[in-house]
Amino acid sequence: MEYDRVRAVAYAKRWAYRRNSKYYDFSNLGGNCTNFASQCIYAGAGVMNYTPVYGWYYISLNNRAPAWTGVNELYNFLVNNKGPGPQGEVVPLRRIIIGDIVQLNFGTDDSFDHSPVVVDAGMGTPDTVLIAANSYDADCRQLSTYNYVAMRPIHIYNVNPPA
C-alpha cells in the first residue's frame, strides 16, 4: 500500500499546536512528540499493527504499543516491521520527503529524544527541512533550530496491508 504523505502532512499541520482528543496528551508524561508523530504516520498509513508488545497501535492510554509513544521504540518498529503497517529505513537527510520523520538526540545519553514530522523537505539540509512537532510545538520549524547532537532521518517507504 502507498503511504499518503499529503494526508500525513495535513494532519501534522492541523494538530501541531493543538491536541486531538481521540488520543491521550502525553505532554506531562515525558512528552507528546512520538504520540503526535505516530498520529501523523497513521493518518498517512491507515493501518495499525496490533502485535502485542512489538506492534504499533493506539486504542487508549492503557492499551497501546510502546512504539506508539516511545521515540526509540517507534524507530525499532519502523525499521524492523515485517507485519501490517508502515515500514521505514534510515536514510541521509537529503533523501527525506514530506511525511517522513527525523528523530533527534539532544545529547543526554545515546538514545534519541524527539520525533518531529517533515512537512517540507526543502533541499534536504538542516536549514531547509521544515518540521511539525508536539512537546516543542511547532509547524514549519527549521530542523537547524534544534540543539541536537545526532539526527536519525527515517523514510517511510511502504505500508503493509492488514493481515
Side-chain angles (χ1 to χ4, degrees):
M1 295 173 49
E2 193 163 329
Y3 180 54
D4 189 336
R5 297 174 181 288
V6 172
R7 244 183 114 177
V9 169
Y11 187 97
K13 291 184 157 297
R14 178 175 182 190
W15 296 105
Y17 294 105
R18 301 182 304 157
R19 303 297 186 264
N20 185 338
S21 62
K22 293 180 183 176
Y23 301 93
Y24 187 82
D25 179 0
F26 292 87
S27 295
N28 295 321
L29 291 175
N32 201 57
C33 69
T34 305
N35 179 35
F36 172 75
S38 286
Q39 291 173 43
C40 295
I41 294 168
Y42 179 62
V47 177
M48 291 186 189
N49 180 316
Y50 294 97
T51 304
V53 183
Y54 299 107
W56 176 77
Y57 63 90
Y58 180 96
I59 297 170
S60 68
L61 168 63
N62 296 313
N63 190 359
R64 61 186 161 82
W68 190 270
T69 53
V71 176
N72 297 291
E73 292 83 353
L74 177 60
Y75 163 78
N76 287 331
F77 172 76
L78 289 172
V79 302
N80 295 305
N81 182 31
K82 304 288 188 250
Q87 295 177 301
E89 62 185 343
V90 175
V91 297
L93 188 62
R94 68 182 179 279
R95 285 199 41 218
I96 283 294
I97 54 181
I98 64 167
D100 288 339
I101 63 173
V102 180
Q103 293 188 325
L104 303 174
N105 179 331
F106 296 138
T108 55
D109 56 28
D110 288 338
S111 66
F112 282 73
D113 307 293
H114 195 41
S115 297
V117 178
V118 177
V119 296
D120 187 334
M123 300 297 293
T125 66
D127 286 332
T128 62
V129 170
L130 304 179
I131 57 86
N134 275 181
S135 293
Y136 307 101
D137 290 7
D139 184 22
C140 293
R141 179 176 174 176
Q142 288 176 289
L143 189 58
S144 62
T145 64
Y146 285 96
N147 185 21
Y148 58 88
V149 299
M151 77 168 78
R152 185 163 60 193
I154 303 172
H155 170 66
I156 298 167
Y157 66 85
N158 186 47
V159 177
N160 283 332

